Amino acid sequence: MEKQYAEKNKRMAIAMDNGIPDRVPILSIIDNWAFSYSGYSIDEIFEDDEKHLAAFDKVARDFYWDSMFTVTTTRPINYISALGGGAYKAKGTLQIESGSILSMDAEEYPDLAEDPYKFLLEVIAPRKYELFRKPYSEEKYQEYCDAVDHYFAFRNVGARSAQALREKYGVPVSRGAVFFHPLDMILDYLRDFQGTMFDIKRKPKQIREVCDAMLPMVIEMVEGAYPEPVEGKYIFNPMHLPEFISARDFEKVYWPSYKKLMDYFTDKGYNILCYYERSYAHLFEFLQDLPKNKIVGLFEDDDLRIVKEKLGDMMCFAGGMKTFDLNYSSKQVCLDQAKSLIDDLAGDGGYIFTTDRIPHSANDANPENLRAVNEFVRDYGVYK
Amino acid sequence: MEFKEFNQEELKNEEMIERLIKEHLKIEDPVQQENMKKLLIYQILH
């Protein structure tokens, strides 16, 4: 299995550097779909780590993969629940509780910029969580110990899962760390959609300054989790806000700190997989200025043939296999689509085959179609 | 939107985190303690 593991890692590494590997790598970006596929509810897997592990074991066993971007779900729900608050809830799938994000006032940007950690601890924590609102007591301390135990138990499931899949199936986990752009943190956790959109229009300079002030925190969190670049791995960067803002606003509030992060990590030798959620056609000109051949662009709604034309000489790109068709279309339609992707996109390397969006729900993929396209690409996507 | 003000002296959240790092996680190295404190504060963002 170690030989397979090394081969797969190499395949991913070459493709991520925009090169031509021996064949097109096949990446799993499956998330919570693993649970429905394995017959478990989201509640069950948070109650029983063995079911959590078994679900991703089944996905690794039943389908061909060169790499998996995660082998657990993404949120430590037991930890969040123990703190008593937060935005994410397990309700059939992981969902954001309506009205639970807004926890910062528009006038507080200078405080956030002055000391992000202090602001999160002293201002945001008690607003977000019942536990952090309580007067200090021995009981509160013990509750916090229990919550943090849940957090590390969750991380331990990830480590166990990655090790088991390596030993049993020779499948690597390609995600070394995750980061969010500071403005995506503000959107996702502090100001919510309406507040963030207003702030971008009303105080772009403050937004730009606070994003710069939060960069050390982003870097510290990545380097704490993933201290040195490792072959076949990347830093995962899901991007949420840019699809909603104009190129003009993107240039003012998002691009400067985004470019700094991309330069910083790629200068240190890291690959970064940017998940360009929904459409980025209006921002392709900016993306052309990113560091060459260290970025993987995972595109959702953009036409990958246009992506290849505009960005193919400077970044590896991934995606293309429509989850809609995987679930609702025939096997032949899916196979034809997979063949077309390989024929049109993979010719000169720098292409990773995967779905066009993260499979979360049961109806994000018919397993038979998924199995068929992965096996097809494994056999057809060979560079000669 | 109005947010309630909290008295940091009553909450003692920072002291709680520092105590947990030393007593519960048993981290002795000051650099690692500081890194863990930052990680746990960052984990407020959910």
Side-chain angles (χ1 to χ4, degrees), chain A residues 132-186:
Chain A
F132 286 113
R133 287 194 283 276
K134 290 180 180 177
Y136 185 77
S137 67
E138 195 57 26
E139 185 187 6
K140 171 174 167 169
Y141 173 70
Q142 289 303 329
E143 285 176 18
Y144 185 55
C145 291
D146 291 343
V148 171
D149 285 347
H150 282 302
Y151 171 70
F152 284 107
F154 176 78
R155 286 183 29 156
N156 188 44
V157 170
R160 286 174 62 198
S161 191
Q163 188 61 29
L165 302 195
R166 175 177 183 154
E167 290 170 1
K168 290 169 78 174
Y169 310 113
V171 177
V173 180
S174 49
R175 185 165 68 173
V178 183
F179 76 81
F180 293 90
H181 184 280
L183 195 45
D184 284 324
M185 288 191 227
I186 290 167

Side-chain angles (χ1 to χ4, degrees), chain A residues 219-378:
Chain A
I219 290 168
E220 283 168 352
M221 289 304 110
V222 168
E223 292 183 338
Y226 179 34
E228 299 288 339
V230 174
E231 182 176 71
K233 289 189 189 293
Y234 51 75
I235 303 167
F236 179 52
N237 171 218
M239 293 166 63
H240 297 161
L241 183 74
E243 63 181 292
F244 298 110
I245 58 177
S246 67
R248 192 160 168 257
D249 285 337
F250 178 82
E251 184 175 24
K252 275 193 278 189
V253 298
Y254 199 101
W255 172 250
S257 39
Y258 175 58
K259 179 73 163 55
K260 285 174 192 168
L261 283 170
M262 294 295 116
D263 287 344
Y264 177 85
F265 286 122
T266 57
D267 282 351
K268 296 194 91 175
Y270 289 99
N271 290 92
I272 305 168
L273 188 146
C274 295
Y275 186 16
Y276 297 118
E277 300 190 20
R278 303 304 300 270
S279 175
Y280 275 68
H282 63 307
L283 302 173
F284 282 167
E285 281 184 25
F286 292 95
L287 304 190
Q288 284 167 346
D289 285 337
L290 290 174
K292 277 192 86 168
N293 301 334
K294 296 303 283 182
I295 311 283
V296 181
L298 172 58
F299 291 88
E300 276 194 349
D301 290 349
D302 292 296
D303 182 339
L304 289 188
R305 288 151 187 90
I306 297 173
V307 170
K308 180 181 172 67
E309 182 190 321
K310 301 280 188 189
L311 303 168
D313 65 337
M314 50 75 58
M315 72 160 64
C316 169
F317 55 97
M321 189 67 228
K322 296 185 185 307
T323 53
F324 179 88
D325 287 318
L326 282 176
N327 196 58
Y328 294 107
S329 298
S330 67
K331 185 187 290 185
Q332 193 55 50
V333 165
C334 294
L335 290 171
D336 290 347
Q337 188 180 131
K339 181 174 184 301
S340 166
L341 289 166
I342 300 302
D343 290 345
D344 295 349
L345 303 174
D348 46 3
Y351 174 61
I352 296 171
F353 180 82
T354 188
T355 47
D356 65 341
R357 56 199 71 230
I358 293 174
H360 280 294
S361 307
N363 60 2
D364 281 339
N366 172 335
E368 282 187 32
N369 288 348
L370 181 63
R371 188 175 299 110
V373 296
N374 282 12
E375 289 176 0
F376 171 79
V377 171
R378 178 194 61 198

